[in-house]
Amino acid sequence: MAKSSSAAAPGSKKRKSKSGALTHEEVKSLGYELLSSRAHLNHAPVLLALLSPSAPLNLALEALISLQSFFEPLLPSIPSSSAATAAAGGASSDPELVFGSWLRQRFDEFVAALVELSVSPHSDDAIRDVALDAFMNFVKLGKDGRFHSAIYHKFLHAVVHAPDSIDLLLELLGSKYFKYADVCYFTYTSLDKITNSLSSETTGSNKDGSQNGDDGSEDRVVVCIRNIYNILVHIPTLDFQKESKFDMWSTVGLSSKGEKGFPEGSSATNINKKLKVKFTKAWLAFLKQPLPLDVYKEVLATIHQNVIPSLSNPAILCDFLTRSYDIGGVISVMALSGIFILMTQHSLEYPKFYEKLYALLTPAVFMAKHRSVFLQLLDACLKSSYVPAYLAASFAKRLSRLTLSVPPAGALIIIALIHNLLRRHPSINFLVHREIAQDDTNMSGEASQPKKIGADPFNNEETDPEKSGAMRSSLWEIDTLRHHYTPAVSRFVASLENDLTVRAKTTEMKITDFSSGSYATVFQDEVRRRIKQVPLAFYRTTPSSLFQESDFPGWTFGYQSNVVAQASLEGNESRTVETSKGSPAKRSRVET
């Protein structure tokens, strides 16, 4: 006894070291004993207690590797949760049933610890990487080699509800596992379920919390929505158009115990079809949520590239996009890309589309972040020869009026847009130069009222292009750009006039060359220009005044002349004072 007590003393001192529990050698010894015999099964709870983000890194890594090596060979013999619960509740005397129930509980604890180590932002990068690999290995092996969708769903549920940043974890998932088709398949499946359950929670919290004013649940829902979006965008866009071979993470393919899939060796067409269905369900469930404004803008900015091409039926997005397009402002500008694709490629009919587009033309558009894509789409929407003349004239006039209030880069874009409109629709060329006569008639054929000289019949406040009066106006605003303070704008206007006179030798301008312009680009272009003749400040004699007297007759600016004039003025004032001593009539004459 004394010997054992003395032997335990050093160990007790070690256990009160920095770790506060076990040393690295002791943890390694516990792992070896656990793997060697069932007699040391009680070491498993001790090792599980070390799996936390706050535990020392070397101890946690050693415990994790030992437990992974312990559970992997036992996966086929681990009973289901329901069977383990029934065995524990029945107080069975069968040692194998008792061992199976105990093993199930310890395995669930181990999986929960792996999820916590993977999701927690306090975990070290090394332990997060190892924990994620161990967890995904259990997902891969599953039961009879099937994808273990149940524990993977628990993992994604924890990721979605994580209160802190999950960027590091998503980088690992994206680089290692989202390249496999079955992982993407079950990720979409789980996100669809989690998002739908989130909707029910949101509805319930609104009913219960509307009177209490508690917005904690609302903040939690916003965090979950952000996390769902981050997961969706980290999944690489699969090329569903190609009939290529899909890589699988599990050994059996897209099939799990609770999910209808297809076995290994299924055709690429079948895999393609099922992936599209799951992709569509996941995104539709997400888009039904109350998206935060920043997430809403990001979705609209990329939906035409990353979402619409991969949907099983893109037309189902028409409600979301038309609702966004009706909001107005920058949201409508960003929704235009998706609307345009649905109209041109999927036969979407949108009433009063051009009226909405006409209303979006405001000075703010030319300073928006996504103005480049919007202006390119604006040019594409007005490209059809079926656009009525009054509509083309209204857009040309609206753009022309905007040149008076937009930055120089915006004026360059407008000139290019109007140039293309005049080339595509020769019927509105009268806007370039028009003299208003007394017998001018309006669109209805009735004689219009006499116009005042300089009055513009165009109503810039009118939201209906048909009633704007553009057909009775002219593009006088473009003529004012001849004297624009930016040389690039005035030069561009001059080239526009030349191009319109020789239509056969010119082509339409590419809006992409101007749509991303700004003050910086205009300045850089001017700096890079090679100027053959540069005006110099050269004088044969040193100037004595700021302006030449010949430029301002009757004015003198020289210093000497000013001195003489000042002396003359002082002499006149003194004479006026002396004369004031005379008669009142004489004083009045002199003062006059």
Side-chain angles (χ1 to χ4, degrees):
M1 292 294 293
K3 185 177 181 179
S4 62
S5 300
S6 60
S12 62
K13 290 181 180 179
K14 289 183 180 180
R15 291 175 186 178
K16 293 181 181 180
S17 61
K18 184 183 292 186
S19 66
L22 299 170
T23 63
H24 183 264
E25 292 77 10
E26 290 173 336
V27 174
K28 184 181 292 186
S29 176
L30 290 176
Y32 285 149
E33 293 177 358
L34 176 64
L35 295 174
S36 62
S37 173
R38 283 192 179 185
H40 303 289
L41 290 178
N42 288 330
H43 292 347
V46 178
L47 296 175
L48 285 171
L50 297 174
L51 298 182
S52 67
S54 59
L57 179 61
N58 59 339
L59 302 185
L61 283 173
E62 188 65 39
L64 192 155
I65 294 172
S66 299
L67 289 170
Q68 182 181 1
S69 302
F70 171 72
F71 281 110
E72 277 188 1
L74 299 176
L75 280 178
S77 60
I78 296 179
S80 62
S81 299
S82 57
T85 304
S92 175
S93 58
D94 188 351
E96 291 300 324
L97 293 178
V98 174
F99 172 70
S101 176
W102 178 89
L103 192 64
R104 182 74 222 186
Q105 294 177 6
R106 302 291 84 78
F107 179 73
D108 291 340
E109 293 176 4
F110 182 48
V111 169
L114 293 178
V115 171
E116 182 184 6
L117 290 173
S118 301
V119 177
S120 174
H122 306 293
S123 299
D124 190 88
D125 293 342
I127 192 68
R128 179 184 291 107
D129 198 349
V130 175
L132 181 61
D133 290 342
F135 177 82
M136 292 303 296
N137 199 39
F138 288 131
V139 172
K140 178 180 182 178
L141 298 176
K143 183 97 176 197
D144 301 329
R146 291 192 297 267
F147 193 98
H148 207 317
S149 60
I151 62 173
Y152 187 67
H153 178 78
K154 293 179 180 179
F155 168 72
L156 286 181
H157 187 275
V159 174
V160 170
H161 289 79
D164 300 304
S165 175
I166 56 173
D167 293 339
L168 296 176
L169 175 60
L170 292 180
E171 292 295 334
L172 289 176
L173 286 171
S175 60
K176 288 187 174 182
Y177 302 106
F178 283 159
K179 60 184 178 181
Y180 297 104
D182 52 350
V183 175
C184 295
Y185 178 87
F186 288 106
T187 301
Y188 291 136
T189 302
S190 295
L191 289 180
D192 179 24
K193 296 178 181 178
I194 294 171
T195 308
N196 289 327
S197 64
L198 194 65
S199 300
S200 60
E201 292 177 8
T202 305
T203 305
S205 63
N206 289 338
K207 291 180 179 179
D208 299 335
S210 57
Q211 297 178 351
N212 299 331
D214 185 11
D215 59 349
S217 60
E218 183 178 355
D219 295 339
R220 180 178 57 82
V221 170
V222 171
V223 171
C224 293
I225 291 175
R226 294 184 189 276
N227 290 339
I228 293 173
Y229 175 71
N230 289 332
I231 296 173
L232 288 173
V233 297
H234 274 81
I235 302 176
T237 304
L238 300 176
D239 192 356
F240 295 118
Q241 305 300 328
K242 295 182 180 180
E243 296 293 333
S244 57
K245 182 180 179 181
F246 293 94
D247 295 329
M248 299 293 175
W249 172 245
S250 61
T251 56
V252 179
L254 293 185
S255 61
S256 66
K257 188 173 181 181
E259 183 75 27
K260 290 184 179 181
F262 38 85
E264 185 180 7
S266 298
S267 64
T269 304
N270 197 12
I271 298 176
N272 191 348
K273 182 179 179 180
K274 286 186 173 292
L275 277 174
K276 271 193 171 185
V277 171
K278 294 299 181 181
F279 176 90
T280 303
K281 288 184 177 180
W283 270 100
L284 285 181
F286 169 73
L287 294 177
K288 292 178 181 178
Q289 302 301 313
L291 305 181
L293 183 59
D294 56 339
V295 175
Y296 197 7
K297 291 181 179 180
E298 290 184 23
V299 170
L300 291 176
T302 59
I303 196 171
H304 62 287
Q305 295 177 342
N306 301 334
V307 180
I308 291 180
S310 302
L311 293 175
S312 57
N313 181 18
I316 58 181
L317 283 182
C318 64
D319 291 339
F320 172 77
L321 290 174
T322 53
R323 201 164 52 243
S324 303
Y325 192 60
D326 291 338
I327 292 177
V330 67
I331 298 296
S332 297
V333 171
M334 302 175 72
L336 182 61
S337 299
I339 288 286
F340 182 76
I341 291 178
L342 293 185
M343 291 179 62
T344 56
Q345 300 179 15
H346 302 283
S347 303
L348 173 67
E349 294 184 3
Y350 187 87
K352 298 184 179 181
F353 170 78
Y354 283 102
E355 291 184 14
K356 297 284 186 182
L357 186 61
Y358 183 79
L360 293 178
L361 294 179
T362 60
V365 169
F366 294 87
M367 292 175 282
K369 180 180 179 181
H370 302 279
R371 63 183 180 274
S372 177
V373 177
F374 170 76
L375 294 170
Q376 294 174 34
L377 290 175
L378 173 64
D379 184 64
C381 292
L382 299 173
K383 198 169 187 176
S384 174
S385 58
Y386 294 101
V387 174
Y390 80 88
L391 195 60
S394 297
F395 274 91
K397 183 60 182 177
R398 179 91 165 192
L399 289 169
S400 179
R401 183 62 60 87
L402 286 174
T403 58
L404 304 179
S405 56
V406 298
L412 294 174
I413 304 169
I414 290 176
I415 295 171
L417 288 168
I418 293 178
H419 175 272
N420 291 345
L421 278 172
L422 293 174
R423 285 194 52 81
R424 296 167 185 167
H425 307 281
S427 58
I428 65 171
N429 282 349
F430 62 86
L431 295 175
V432 177
H433 178 73
R434 177 172 188 166
E435 295 180 358
I436 304 298
Q438 293 294 332
D439 57 347
D440 189 18
T441 57
N442 55 25
M443 292 296 297
S444 61
E446 300 176 357
S448 59
Q449 296 294 328
K451 306 295 189 303
K452 294 182 179 180
I453 297 177
D456 190 349
F458 175 73
N459 184 7
N460 194 44
E461 304 298 328
E462 177 60 50
T463 58
D464 189 352
E466 188 175 1
K467 301 176 182 178
S468 64
M471 293 291 285
R472 294 180 284 115
S473 182
S474 63
L475 301 179
W476 59 266
E477 298 90 350
I478 301 299
D479 187 65
T480 62
L481 299 183
R482 296 174 184 270
H483 310 286
H484 198 274
Y485 65 90
T486 304
V489 177
S490 58
R491 289 194 302 268
F492 200 22
V493 172
S495 65
L496 171 66
E497 182 180 6
N498 295 331
D499 289 345
L500 291 177
T501 56
V502 284
R503 287 175 49 87
K505 298 181 181 180
T506 58
T507 57
E508 293 184 5
M509 295 183 178
K510 294 183 179 179
I511 302 302
T512 53
D513 298 337
F514 306 93
S515 57
S516 58
S518 62
Y519 281 106
T521 58
V522 173
F523 178 77
Q524 291 298 330
D525 291 340
E526 289 297 317
V527 170
R528 287 193 296 263
R529 285 187 72 242
R530 297 183 62 183
I531 303 176
K532 296 180 180 180
Q533 296 181 354
V534 180
L536 299 176
F538 175 75
Y539 303 98
R540 295 185 181 275
T541 60
T542 303
S544 59
S545 61
L546 182 62
F547 302 104
Q548 298 294 329
E549 295 182 3
S550 59
D551 296 336
F552 300 91
W555 291 79
T556 57
F557 301 97
Y559 175 74
Q560 296 296 334
S561 300
N562 290 338
V563 172
V564 173
Q566 182 69 20
S568 175
L569 180 62
E570 292 176 355
N572 293 335
E573 290 179 353
S574 62
R575 285 195 300 272
T576 303
V577 173
E578 293 175 357
T579 308
S580 63
K581 299 178 180 179
S583 61
K586 186 177 181 180
R587 182 175 65 248
S588 175
R589 183 172 63 253
V590 173
E591 290 178 353
T592 304

